[in-house]
């Protein structure tokens, strides 16, 4: 991922970098994505928190699982415990300035940082917010920086199981997605969604990128997709 960031930064016009996986998809047009990012100014978007945030900060406190499987296993000989932060979802949006701070950090500290996260569950959730903290950027108030540099909000919608054996991975939305859910996601400020495991139909792609949820229902989309994928009978080939 660091290599991808470095590659993106080669383009001098790159102002924001969004990190996602193959199961993340945009749920609005790229014009709307750009308009939203530029309208909010030079802020990075990540829903982040430290293990034990200060009282009154409004930041989330780490769960027992996060404390034991993530925060506690970052190598303290490489990174101070007080500098360890987490972002969930781990797929975040960075300003160019913050992306540059992250990729330049290893040169400043004299070595690679990723080995410190080798025992961490879902290390990408901690690596980037921790790197930002080491670079002097976090969601905590800073009297020397009166204007916030981080918006403590994810632009990626992800829904996690509330119970069961695996609550750490988001639910696949392929079979439970509808136009009402899309409208709710958009109205809540999300620009991307995770996760879809199956190939997305062309109709659904058009709906995602049209900024319009009024003229076509998910039922129509599924019917069209099913109709196109249904085998043709021999008589239609004559």
């Amino acid at each position: 991922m660091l290599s991808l960031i470095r590659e993106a930064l080669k383009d001098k016009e790159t102002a924001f970098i969004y990190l996602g996986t193959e199961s993340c998809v945009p749920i609005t047009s790229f014009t709307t994505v750009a308009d939203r990012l530029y309208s909010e100014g030079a802020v990075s978007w990540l829903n982040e928190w430290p293990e034990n945030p200060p009282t009154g900060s409004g930041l989330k406190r780490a769960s027992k699982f996060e404390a034991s499987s993530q925060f506690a296993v970052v190598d303290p000989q490489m990174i101070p415990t007080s500098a360890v932060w987490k972002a969930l979802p781990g797929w975040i949006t960075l300003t160019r300035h913050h992306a540059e701070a992250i990729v330049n950090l290893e040169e400043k500290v004299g070595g690679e940082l990723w080995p410190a996260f080798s025992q961490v569950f879902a290390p990408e959730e901690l690596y980037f917010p921790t790197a930002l903290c080491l670079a002097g950027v976090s969601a905590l108030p800073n009297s020397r920086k009166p204007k916030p540099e981080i918006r403590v909000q994810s632009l990626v919608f992800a829904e996690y199981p509330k119970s069961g054996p695996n609550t750490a991975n988001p639910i696949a939305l392929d079979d439970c997605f509808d136009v009402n859910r899309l409208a709710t996601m958009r109205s809540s400020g999300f620009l991307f969604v995770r996760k879809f495991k199956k190939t997305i139909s062309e109709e659904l792609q058009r709906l995602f990128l049209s900024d319009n949820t009024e003229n076509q229902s998910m039922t129509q989309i599924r019917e069209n997709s099913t109709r196109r994928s249904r085998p043709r009978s021999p008589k239609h080939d004559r």
Side-chain angles (χ1 to χ4, degrees):
M1 295 173 71
L2 290 172
S3 297
L4 291 174
I5 293 176
R6 291 188 180 97
E7 189 66 28
L9 290 173
K10 291 180 181 178
D11 186 339
K12 299 301 183 183
E13 295 187 0
T14 297
F16 294 92
I17 295 176
Y18 163 70
L19 300 176
T21 73
E22 75 286 349
S23 63
C24 297
V25 296
I27 55 172
T28 189
S29 69
F30 290 109
T31 298
T32 298
V33 171
D35 288 345
R36 173 77 180 284
L37 294 177
Y38 281 104
S39 68
E40 297 284 350
V43 294
S44 291
W45 297 76
L46 55 161
N47 181 35
E48 68 165 11
W49 63 90
E51 182 176 6
N52 296 298
T55 302
S57 66
L59 298 175
K60 178 181 175 181
R61 185 174 297 275
S63 68
K64 291 182 179 179
F65 172 81
E66 292 166 340
S68 62
S69 300
Q70 296 185 305
F71 287 92
V73 290
V74 176
D75 188 346
Q77 295 185 353
M78 295 185 66
I79 297 178
T81 303
S82 60
V84 180
W85 284 65
K86 170 176 176 168
L88 191 72
W91 311 107
I92 61 179
T93 302
L94 298 169
T95 64
R96 182 184 186 91
H97 173 67
H98 289 163
E100 289 174 334
I102 289 173
V103 298
N104 293 334
L105 189 61
E106 291 181 345
E107 181 179 345
K108 290 183 177 180
V109 300
E112 296 179 324
L113 292 175
W114 64 263
F117 300 84
S118 62
Q119 302 302 312
V120 176
F121 174 84
E124 72 284 349
E125 294 178 359
L126 275 69
Y127 183 93
F128 292 102
T130 298
L132 281 176
C133 183
L134 291 172
V137 180
S138 78
L140 292 177
N142 188 332
S143 59
R144 292 175 297 177
K145 299 178 180 180
K147 188 174 182 180
E149 295 185 71
I150 289 182
R151 186 64 52 84
V152 188
Q153 177 185 343
S154 177
L155 295 176
V156 184
F157 175 88
E159 183 176 348
Y160 293 83
K162 293 181 173 57
S163 61
N166 187 1
T167 59
N169 291 314
I171 298 170
L173 301 174
D174 302 84
D175 299 322
C176 59
F177 199 87
D178 58 39
V179 72
N180 293 325
R181 175 170 282 197
L182 173 60
T184 299
M185 290 177 185
R186 287 175 171 175
S187 65
S188 299
F190 295 107
L191 301 178
F192 306 90
V193 62
R194 185 173 188 245
K195 64 183 178 180
F196 282 87
K197 298 175 69 175
K198 302 175 184 177
T199 301
I200 298 174
S201 68
E202 292 181 4
E203 287 89 352
L204 188 53
Q205 292 179 42
R206 283 195 290 269
L207 180 65
F208 280 168
L209 299 177
S210 70
D211 292 333
N212 182 11
T213 58
E214 297 179 358
N215 297 328
Q216 188 172 25
S217 69
M218 291 296 296
T219 300
Q220 291 174 314
I221 289 173
R222 286 177 180 143
E223 287 178 349
N224 291 341
S225 179
T226 302
R227 194 158 43 239
R228 279 213 316 274
S229 62
R230 190 176 297 145
R232 291 163 59 94
S233 64
K235 67 179 181 180
H236 288 148
D237 293 328
R238 292 174 186 159

